[in-house]
Amino acid sequence: MAVKINESWNNYLRPEFEKEYFIKLQEFVKQEYAQGRCYPPGGKIFAAFDHCPSEKVKVVIIGQDPYHGPGQANGLCFSVADGIPHPPSLINIFKEVSENTGQSIPQSGNLERWADQGVFLLNATLTVRAHEAGSHQGKGWEQFTDEVIRIISKETENVVFMLWGGFAKKKEKLIDSNKHLVLKTGHPSPLSANRGLWFGNKHFVKANEYLLKQGKAKIDW
């Protein structure tokens, strides 16, 4: 079964799609979606890639799992579809953005507007069973998305990688910090943020300062 993904990514990822682990992963995901409700909708599994072609990546934000509630996940990490209440982590992300930029917190939690500017919003696991967090972990997605991070590190220059929380920080080993800016802080979840590990990280300001120094347009957060 051919993977429908933005052509710029297909050029890099075609070898992965032909590997045994990915073929098994495809079969697993196909069965899961056929047998019960899974998120995000099938057409949005690769939304992060479709909104942000490989040559336009400026910032990478790494999440762990898609949201598993009705109507939430739209294929971009930390993002929810229009009209869906902001989950707690997203509320804290928007609070930090507001503190960094002075702009008000947006009504919509849909981060497609970030992705379209070059913010690659990658979950380590791209699918999940409804109401069962982590249910698609350990099936091959992590191997695939680790390779995606390696490809971005190798094939691009001067990208900002935002690693939030212990899980994302483990991905640092996949990134060439001599070529890219790696920003690390606590996770935006209330558990971490309320212990003083998130607020005040200034990642959104630091990212734009770096991009401007590299002659790139800043992100309108």
Side-chain angles (χ1 to χ4, degrees):
M1 187 170 79
V3 176
K4 292 181 181 176
I5 196 169
N6 180 284
E7 191 57 34
S8 70
W9 289 105
N10 193 41
N11 293 334
Y12 291 119
L13 294 171
R14 196 176 296 114
E16 291 303 298
F17 299 149
E18 295 168 0
K19 290 180 181 176
E20 185 179 356
Y21 87 88
F22 195 89
I23 293 166
K24 287 181 179 176
L25 171 63
Q26 270 189 302
E27 282 305 309
F28 168 76
V29 170
K30 201 163 135 188
Q31 284 182 356
E32 286 283 292
Y33 274 73
Q35 290 170 0
R37 188 171 293 280
C38 294
Y39 300 117
K44 295 200 170 183
I45 292 172
F46 294 102
F49 300 82
D50 294 332
H51 278 277
C52 188
S54 60
E55 70 276 6
K56 293 187 178 178
V57 175
K58 296 179 185 176
V59 178
V60 177
I61 299 176
I62 299 169
Q64 190 163 359
D65 228 22
Y67 296 119
H68 53 83
Q72 288 183 303
N74 67 349
L76 310 175
C77 73
F78 296 105
S79 173
V80 290
D82 291 317
I84 298 292
H86 299 175
S89 291
L90 187 57
I91 290 171
N92 287 337
I93 290 169
F94 282 155
K95 283 180 180 176
E96 181 65 19
V97 170
S98 180
E99 185 66 31
N100 283 203
T101 64
Q103 63 196 40
S104 57
I105 290 173
Q107 284 190 324
S108 175
N110 191 336
L111 301 182
E112 288 177 356
R113 58 192 177 81
W114 288 8
D116 292 338
Q117 295 179 75
V119 182
F120 189 58
L121 296 160
L122 180 68
N123 272 318
T125 302
L126 297 188
T127 57
V128 69
R129 207 177 295 142
H131 311 298
E132 293 185 46
S135 50
H136 288 185
Q137 290 177 6
K139 302 296 183 182
W141 277 130
E142 296 92 339
Q143 185 174 340
F144 173 71
T145 53
D146 278 1
E147 184 59 25
V148 171
I149 295 167
R150 284 192 200 94
I151 287 167
I152 295 171
S153 177
K154 182 182 175 186
E155 301 294 341
T156 67
E157 303 281 342
N158 306 319
V159 166
V160 181
F161 287 84
M162 294 184 180
L163 308 183
W164 300 341
F167 177 84
K169 288 175 186 175
K170 290 176 183 173
K171 306 298 182 182
E172 185 175 11
K173 66 182 183 291
L174 307 172
I175 303 161
D176 183 349
S177 58
N178 294 315
K179 292 173 61 184
H180 306 286
L181 176 65
V182 179
L183 300 175
K184 295 179 286 185
T185 191
H187 197 275
S189 68
L191 183 66
S192 176
N194 294 339
R195 284 164 41 214
L197 301 175
W198 166 257
F199 293 114
N201 63 65
K202 303 289 187 196
H203 276 197
F204 304 100
V205 167
K206 290 174 181 176
N208 276 346
E209 287 174 349
Y210 179 80
L211 292 172
L212 288 171
K213 279 182 187 173
Q214 306 306 323
K216 299 181 180 183
K218 65 181 183 178
I219 304 296
D220 179 5
W221 300 109

